[in-house]
Amino acid sequence: MTTIPTLRDKKRYIAFEVTSEQIITRSELSEEIQNSVSSLFGDVGANEINAGLVSFERGYGILRCAREKTTQSRAALACINKLRGARASILVLGISGTIKGAMEKFIQQPPNKDS
Amino acid sequence: MSLFDARFYEFNVHLPPDADSLTRFALEAKRYGYSGIALINSKTDRLDNIPQDFSIYSAVEVSGKPSKLRDEVKRYRAGRDILIARGGDEEFNRAAVETAGLDILLQPAKFNHVLAKAAYDNSVTLGFNAGSIIRLRGEARVRELRTMRANLKFARKYEVAMILTCSPNSSYDLRSPREAAALAGLFGMTEVEAVRAMSAVPLDILRRKSPDYIQEGVEVI
């Protein structure tokens, strides 16, 4: 159900890249992110952060979180060190206010670090 | 200009001693936004295939009995390696902060105001290991966070230099500077402090290790 703009939850979308020894599926990653968030911040914190995996394809993904909680979400992503028993690490590419923005800016054309 | 437009360094890298893993690690570290790393107890003479604008320093982890620590530090001091001691019991930490040549005391579990003062006097940098937040879960992680929060309090009060590291054993343990700062935020470190702990403080240690440096305030020009 849609609500009026001022009452909507304000969100941010974190674009990230997964490096892993194995190929992982969307549901495994989603589960691991939820685990990481709740083990780091507890049930109340996880609810405030409101993390959810929006999309994940070919090693690149987008995570939704609450606007004020981007730092905490980053920390939770950084705490993931194993996916399905294989070593893995997550690199945040950037944060955007819209899914489209995160897609276009960080995933379709990964930012050039040197420029 | 962003706070994160600095040169970042990772000073506590443990790698298997083959050139291949070093090359892979260096490439990955550059991609993650680091400008240099320091390898622990590993030879850094075979430096081929290292990306441009990326530097590799060598470090030594000193350990052993508290009474032997001073001799050990003296032995390596001339070699211009970065000297790191992993925090141990109170006696060891005491010996470490009272050894003037030591650079970093990493994550001492039992730290207090006396040790903090000594660390400041001997310019020993206090190391924070963000890697323990990444690798541990549950009660163990709570304990590490508590240690780091307490150490941060002493470091702020006595102006001890702080350094932040992820202590990677492979390229999968590496985290980008922004992520490391977010992890440091979990135990109360501000972003400004975290950025300093990854850029300015390592650079200061490197300055003290350069051949032109004689002592604080005196260097060959």
Side-chain angles (χ1 to χ4, degrees):
Chain A
M1 203 187 94
T2 53
T3 178
I4 55 172
T6 52
L7 290 184
R8 268 181 218 154
D9 292 336
K10 300 294 181 286
K11 299 166 211 143
R12 284 292 176 265
Y13 296 93
I14 302 179
F16 61 89
E17 183 188 348
V18 180
T19 321
S20 172
E21 289 176 319
Q22 278 184 16
I23 296 167
I24 37 157
T25 63
R26 199 199 125 102
S27 60
E28 283 163 352
L29 181 68
S30 175
E31 194 180 323
E32 191 58 43
I33 289 172
Q34 296 299 348
N35 273 342
S36 175
V37 172
S38 21
S39 97
L40 200 56
F41 298 103
D43 293 347
V44 178
N47 158 256
E48 281 171 3
I49 289 171
N50 187 19
L53 190 60
V54 176
S55 79
F56 179 65
E57 274 177 11
R58 277 172 273 128
Y60 292 92
I62 292 177
L63 180 79
R64 165 180 35 81
C65 71
R67 183 180 61 185
E68 293 81 13
K69 301 285 178 188
T70 49
T71 322
Q72 282 91 332
S73 312
R74 250 179 210 280
L77 283 181
C79 280
I80 294 170
N81 65 342
K82 278 215 165 70
L83 286 167
R84 196 155 38 114
R87 292 179 297 172
S89 97
I90 293 183
L91 171 65
V92 173
L93 303 169
I95 301 181
S96 170
T98 55
I99 299 179
K100 189 182 168 200
M103 249 337 181
E104 287 177 355
K105 253 177 156 166
F106 305 114
I107 293 185
Q108 282 159 2
Q109 308 153 310
N112 197 352
K113 280 272 166 68
D114 300 323
S115 63
Chain B
M1 186 178 145
S2 159
L3 192 59
F4 287 88
D5 288 342
R7 297 173 70 82
F8 293 102
Y9 294 88
E10 170 64 62
F11 265 13
N12 190 23
V13 182
H14 299 258
L15 283 184
D18 57 295
D20 194 37
S21 60
L22 175 60
T23 310
R24 194 154 5 100
F25 189 89
L27 277 170
E28 201 74 348
K30 184 157 167 71
R31 200 166 68 89
Y32 273 56
Y34 286 97
S35 307
I37 57 169
L39 270 180
I40 306 258
N41 298 351
S42 183
K43 288 203 173 62
T44 51
D45 44 1
R46 283 181 305 163
L47 295 182
D48 33 339
N49 300 324
I50 297 300
Q52 278 191 343
D53 199 21
F54 189 84
S55 22
I56 293 177
Y57 308 96
S58 70
V60 175
E61 190 172 309
V62 288
S63 53
K65 278 192 192 157
S67 51
K68 297 270 164 57
L69 195 69
R70 195 177 287 268
D71 297 337
E72 189 120 327
V73 168
K74 216 178 263 176
R75 191 148 63 88
Y76 289 115
R77 213 178 163 179
R80 296 216 306 276
D81 292 337
I82 296 154
L83 299 178
I84 300 177
R86 193 174 287 269
D89 57 12
E90 207 160 350
E91 203 186 343
F92 181 85
N93 294 343
R94 178 71 180 249
V97 293
E98 286 177 351
T99 313
L102 190 76
D103 294 306
I104 300 170
L105 175 63
L106 192 67
Q107 195 94 336
K110 290 198 174 139
F111 206 63
N112 55 40
H113 63 288
V114 181
L115 299 187
K117 271 184 216 169
Y120 174 77
D121 289 340
N122 294 317
S123 42
V124 175
T125 306
L126 190 60
F128 291 85
N129 185 3
S132 58
I133 310 179
I134 297 171
R135 272 165 243 156
L136 300 172
R137 292 285 183 275
E139 203 189 327
R141 180 155 70 181
V142 174
R143 219 167 20 237
E144 288 296 312
L145 280 168
R146 195 165 55 207
T147 304
M148 284 149 101
R149 199 177 280 274
N151 289 358
L152 179 71
K153 211 158 66 181
F154 290 122
R156 277 184 184 155
K157 169 91 179 165
Y158 295 101
E159 293 174 18
V160 183
M162 299 183 271
I163 194 164
L164 186 64
T165 160
C166 291
S167 305
N169 295 316
S170 72
S171 56
Y172 294 106
D173 292 337
L174 199 62
R175 295 292 180 274
S176 75
R178 279 174 195 267
E179 260 92 283
L183 287 170
L186 295 175
F187 59 87
M189 202 184 242
T190 63
E191 259 186 9
V192 178
E193 282 170 329
V195 168
R196 243 187 83 72
M198 286 182 289
S199 58
V201 174
L203 281 171
D204 194 52
I205 292 175
L206 291 177
R207 184 182 61 84
R208 277 190 267 139
K209 289 288 160 188
S210 82
D212 293 339
Y213 177 85
I214 295 165
Q215 65 173 76
E216 201 49 58
V218 184
E219 58 186 292
V220 181
I221 301 175

Short mmCIF file of all heavy atoms in Angstrom, two decimals, chain A residues 9 34 37-38 41-51 66 69:
data_model
loop_
_atom_site.label_atom_id
_atom_site.label_comp_id
_atom_site.label_asym_id
_atom_site.label_seq_id
_atom_site.Cartn_x
_atom_site.Cartn_y
_atom_site.Cartn_z
N ASP A 9 9.04 5.71 4.64
CA ASP A 9 10.36 5.47 5.26
C ASP A 9 11.42 6.02 4.33
O ASP A 9 11.41 5.75 3.14
CB ASP A 9 10.60 3.95 5.41
CG ASP A 9 9.66 3.36 6.44
OD1 ASP A 9 9.21 4.12 7.31
OD2 ASP A 9 9.41 2.14 6.38
N GLN A 34 21.18 -10.72 6.80
CA GLN A 34 20.27 -10.61 7.95
C GLN A 34 20.93 -11.14 9.21
O GLN A 34 20.81 -10.55 10.29
CB GLN A 34 18.97 -11.38 7.68
CG GLN A 34 18.13 -10.85 6.53
CD GLN A 34 17.66 -9.42 6.72
OE1 GLN A 34 17.76 -8.87 7.81
NE2 GLN A 34 17.18 -8.80 5.66
N VAL A 37 23.50 -8.57 10.43
CA VAL A 37 22.87 -7.39 11.04
C VAL A 37 22.33 -7.74 12.41
O VAL A 37 22.56 -7.02 13.39
CB VAL A 37 21.74 -6.84 10.13
CG1 VAL A 37 20.97 -5.76 10.85
CG2 VAL A 37 22.31 -6.29 8.85
N SER A 38 21.63 -8.89 12.52
CA SER A 38 21.05 -9.15 13.85
C SER A 38 22.10 -9.57 14.86
O SER A 38 21.93 -9.31 16.04
CB SER A 38 19.89 -10.15 13.82
OG SER A 38 19.91 -10.92 12.70
N PHE A 41 23.69 -5.95 15.77
CA PHE A 41 22.87 -4.91 16.39
C PHE A 41 21.66 -5.45 17.16
O PHE A 41 20.91 -4.67 17.73
CB PHE A 41 22.38 -3.93 15.32
CG PHE A 41 23.50 -3.21 14.64
CD1 PHE A 41 23.90 -3.57 13.36
CD2 PHE A 41 24.18 -2.19 15.28
CE1 PHE A 41 24.95 -2.92 12.74
CE2 PHE A 41 25.22 -1.54 14.65
CZ PHE A 41 25.60 -1.91 13.39
N GLY A 42 21.43 -6.74 17.13
CA GLY A 42 20.29 -7.30 17.85
C GLY A 42 18.99 -7.11 17.08
O GLY A 42 18.98 -6.53 16.00
N ASP A 43 17.90 -7.58 17.64
CA ASP A 43 16.62 -7.55 16.93
C ASP A 43 16.11 -6.12 16.76
O ASP A 43 15.61 -5.75 15.71
CB ASP A 43 15.59 -8.38 17.69
CG ASP A 43 15.95 -9.85 17.67
OD1 ASP A 43 16.84 -10.21 16.87
OD2 ASP A 43 15.38 -10.62 18.44
N VAL A 44 16.27 -5.31 17.80
CA VAL A 44 15.78 -3.93 17.73
C VAL A 44 16.58 -3.14 16.68
O VAL A 44 16.02 -2.44 15.84
CB VAL A 44 15.91 -3.25 19.11
CG1 VAL A 44 15.45 -1.80 19.02
CG2 VAL A 44 15.09 -3.99 20.13
N GLY A 45 17.90 -3.32 16.72
CA GLY A 45 18.76 -2.63 15.76
C GLY A 45 18.47 -3.05 14.34
O GLY A 45 18.42 -2.22 13.43
N ALA A 46 18.26 -4.34 14.14
CA ALA A 46 17.98 -4.86 12.80
C ALA A 46 16.70 -4.25 12.27
O ALA A 46 16.59 -3.89 11.09
CB ALA A 46 17.87 -6.38 12.84
N ASN A 47 15.73 -4.09 13.15
CA ASN A 47 14.46 -3.50 12.75
C ASN A 47 14.63 -2.02 12.37
O ASN A 47 14.06 -1.55 11.39
CB ASN A 47 13.47 -3.67 13.91
CG ASN A 47 12.33 -2.68 13.83
OD1 ASN A 47 12.29 -1.72 14.58
ND2 ASN A 47 11.45 -2.94 12.93
N GLU A 48 15.47 -1.31 13.13
CA GLU A 48 15.70 0.11 12.83
C GLU A 48 16.46 0.28 11.51
O GLU A 48 16.19 1.21 10.75
CB GLU A 48 16.49 0.77 13.95
CG GLU A 48 15.64 1.11 15.16
CD GLU A 48 16.47 1.55 16.35
OE1 GLU A 48 17.71 1.64 16.20
OE2 GLU A 48 15.89 1.79 17.41
N ILE A 49 17.41 -0.62 11.28
CA ILE A 49 18.20 -0.52 10.06
C ILE A 49 17.38 -0.88 8.83
O ILE A 49 17.55 -0.31 7.77
CB ILE A 49 19.45 -1.43 10.17
CG1 ILE A 49 20.43 -0.83 11.18
CG2 ILE A 49 20.15 -1.58 8.83
CD1 ILE A 49 21.56 -1.73 11.53
N ASN A 50 16.46 -1.82 9.00
CA ASN A 50 15.53 -2.18 7.93
C ASN A 50 16.28 -2.61 6.67
O ASN A 50 16.03 -2.13 5.57
CB ASN A 50 14.60 -0.98 7.64
CG ASN A 50 13.51 -1.32 6.67
OD1 ASN A 50 13.20 -2.50 6.48
ND2 ASN A 50 12.93 -0.32 6.06
N ALA A 51 17.26 -3.50 6.85
CA ALA A 51 18.06 -3.94 5.72
C ALA A 51 17.31 -4.96 4.87
O ALA A 51 16.56 -5.77 5.39
CB ALA A 51 19.37 -4.54 6.21
N ALA A 66 17.82 1.99 6.13
CA ALA A 66 17.25 3.27 6.55
C ALA A 66 18.25 4.39 6.30
O ALA A 66 19.45 4.18 6.38
CB ALA A 66 16.86 3.20 8.02
N LYS A 69 20.97 5.09 8.83
CA LYS A 69 21.73 3.93 9.32
C LYS A 69 22.73 3.41 8.30
O LYS A 69 23.07 2.23 8.31
CB LYS A 69 20.75 2.81 9.68
CG LYS A 69 19.74 3.18 10.73
CD LYS A 69 20.35 3.21 12.11
CE LYS A 69 19.31 3.63 13.12
NZ LYS A 69 19.91 3.86 14.44
#
